[in-house]
Amino acid sequence: MPLTKLRINRGWLILLCLSLVLVLGGVFFFMRSKDSKAAAQTNNFSIVAVRRGPIVVNASGTGTVRAAAREEVRSQAAGELSRLYVAKGDKVKAGQVVAELDNENLLLSMERNRLELDRRRQELKQLLEDKQGLEIRAPVGGRLTGFDLRRGQYLGNNALLGTIVDNQAFELVVGLNKAQLPYVKEGDEVEVFLPDYLNSVKGTIKKIDRAGRGTGAGLRYDVTVGLSNPGALTEGLRATITFAAPGGTQTAAWEGTLTRPKGVEVRAGVGGEVEEVLVENNSMVEAGQVLARIKSEDLDNQIVNKELQIRQLELDIASQQKQLADTAVKAPIDGTVIDDPLKLGEEVKVGTLICTIADFSQMEVVVPIDELDIPMVKIGQEADIRAEALQGKIFQGEVVEIAEEGKSQGGVTTYDVTLRIASPEGLKAGMTVNVDIKVAAKNDALLLPVEAVQSQGGRWFVFLPPDTSEQGGRNKTGQLRRQEIKVGLHNERDIEVLEGLKEGDRVVIPRLAGQSTSSFRPPGAGFGGMGIPGSYIPGTRPTQRR
């Protein structure tokens, strides 16, 4: 009996010990679990202070460097490439001749046109002179005789219309000997002596026969003198002339008699219909006076047609001269020949590519910018440009052109933006560069990390740490506090605070779900997600737009 009782008591003891171990293990596990939850609650967020500093907003893209100026040199004329002055890699200046063409047919055609132009101009000159003949003018002054014109009468070319006789004019022919001849010339004024009146009048030498003719008294040189009738002279009066000579006045060796000059014929310069008669027969007229007018529609038409022919020839020659000048192919810009030109002897047409010139002293890059960022990009904005091949070096650029039409690919639309590189030393065409266009900036802004800010319905919020100002520093409620703010500029890292916080205020940054085994959801938030839902950062595209 005693042994049996002892065995029973020992079994209960083992059972009691096992129960105690289970209870103590449960308590230990509960305490550990509670401590782990508290630790997890503490590690789900960090705290950051609102700071003051600069913020820059960039619109970014990647592109390839190229020459800012690149021109294809094309022929403006046709011909054979006879001379070539450049090769690939040569540097040229704007206006420099890079090649020349030969076009013999062009030269011959232009010369034929020039000869034809001279001929047509002479024809026009004659027609204009003929048109002046439509006004019949008196060739000299005097009495008009035999003049019988009627309006509407048709006249042939060079038709005789009448004669003008100057009743007040006389002529005198006297003879000089060989010794006297050197002292007179045409146009000299001489004294005409009239023996019958023992008086003299003025006369002018009109003609001198310097060949002379023989007489019994030696060679005689006839001199014709013209004079006006002062009122009493008649034909047949004897007269001579006196003129100045070394040693005194001399008298002509042979005297003559006064005669009236022959009448001067009046003729029609061109044929045509008499349009107007201005004088009557036997009228006294003056030299140059208009006697009648003739009209000739045919002559007017000839003049117009000739003027048109001349103008067309002038235009043809000007065009050929330009073509001839274009046979000298010139560089349009300063730069470097970047391809192999055509070979000598090749036949070239208008528009044929001779070579290509690029100006590598000025470089540019074209980058595609997302449609969400393009409204912020403006002409003249500055940019930082980094070349993958030149690590650590930053080039400065400026926006010079923004495409008006976008390009769509994979549901994303981009717009090409061209930037001029200020000092491209070291860059080479074809290099890949990353471009950050400075679309907005502020030097003194209140800043928070973007992950500290949330948005809902167009309103912006942050969460402040629990209030520990009461109960000995312990959290009165144990919950974070939500604070509404107004925001300004933001980029992929920072966001500007305009209202709601001041410098030094502390803000909670929740840990993202991927950073913890437990998800963080601020008390009373009522909406999920971290960061800035419903907004975008330049250079990125949100997965959902609101």
Side-chain angles (χ1 to χ4, degrees), residues 62 127 229 288 297 318 394 418 544:
T62 300
L127 289 173
N229 186 359
E297 294 181 359
I394 301 177
T418 304
Q544 180 180 3

Side-chain angles (χ1 to χ4, degrees), residues 22-38:
L22 290 174
V23 171
L24 291 174
V27 172
F28 178 78
F29 178 79
F30 175 76
M31 295 301 294
R32 286 292 303 274
S33 176
K34 185 176 181 180
D35 291 342
S36 297
K37 289 181 178 180

Side-chain angles (χ1 to χ4, degrees), residues 70-204:
R70 176 190 177 105
E71 293 286 345
E72 293 181 338
V73 183
R74 296 186 177 273
S75 174
Q76 302 300 312
E80 179 183 324
L81 186 60
S82 59
R83 285 168 290 278
L84 187 63
Y85 302 112
V86 296
K88 184 177 181 179
D90 286 352
K91 293 186 180 300
V92 296
K93 293 287 186 182
Q96 177 180 335
V97 177
V98 299
E100 290 185 2
L101 311 176
D102 279 343
N103 192 326
E104 185 176 351
N105 291 334
L106 177 63
L107 289 172
L108 292 175
S109 177
M110 186 167 64
E111 186 60 27
R112 284 194 297 268
N113 282 339
R114 282 176 172 166
L115 292 174
E116 184 65 17
L117 178 61
D118 289 341
R119 185 175 71 85
R120 299 290 173 86
R121 283 174 173 169
Q122 288 298 325
E123 291 174 348
L124 177 62
K125 180 181 178 181
Q126 183 60 53
L127 289 173
L128 293 175
E129 289 178 356
D130 291 345
K131 186 172 183 178
Q132 290 180 353
L134 294 176
E135 284 190 340
I136 301 174
R137 295 177 178 271
V140 295
R143 185 176 298 279
L144 177 63
T145 62
F147 188 75
D148 185 20
L149 288 186
R150 299 179 305 278
R151 184 178 179 182
Q153 179 182 351
Y154 184 82
L155 302 177
N157 187 33
N158 203 36
L160 178 62
L161 305 181
T163 304
I164 298 177
V165 178
D166 186 356
N167 293 328
Q168 301 300 315
F170 285 92
E171 285 185 350
L172 170 67
V173 178
V174 297
L176 303 182
N177 57 35
K178 187 174 182 179
Q180 295 174 325
L181 188 62
Y183 306 121
V184 295
K185 61 182 183 297
E186 285 87 347
D188 283 354
E189 187 178 83
V190 294
E191 293 287 337
V192 178
F193 180 69
L194 302 167
D196 294 338
Y197 291 102
L198 297 177
N199 201 355
S200 297
V201 295
K202 299 292 184 181
T204 303

Side-chain angles (χ1 to χ4, degrees), residues 29-51:
F29 178 79
F30 175 76
M31 295 301 294
R32 286 292 303 274
S33 176
K34 185 176 181 180
D35 291 342
S36 297
K37 289 181 178 180
Q41 180 74 7
T42 302
N43 293 333
N44 268 333
F45 62 85
S46 59
I47 296 177
V48 66
V50 179
R51 72 183 190 281

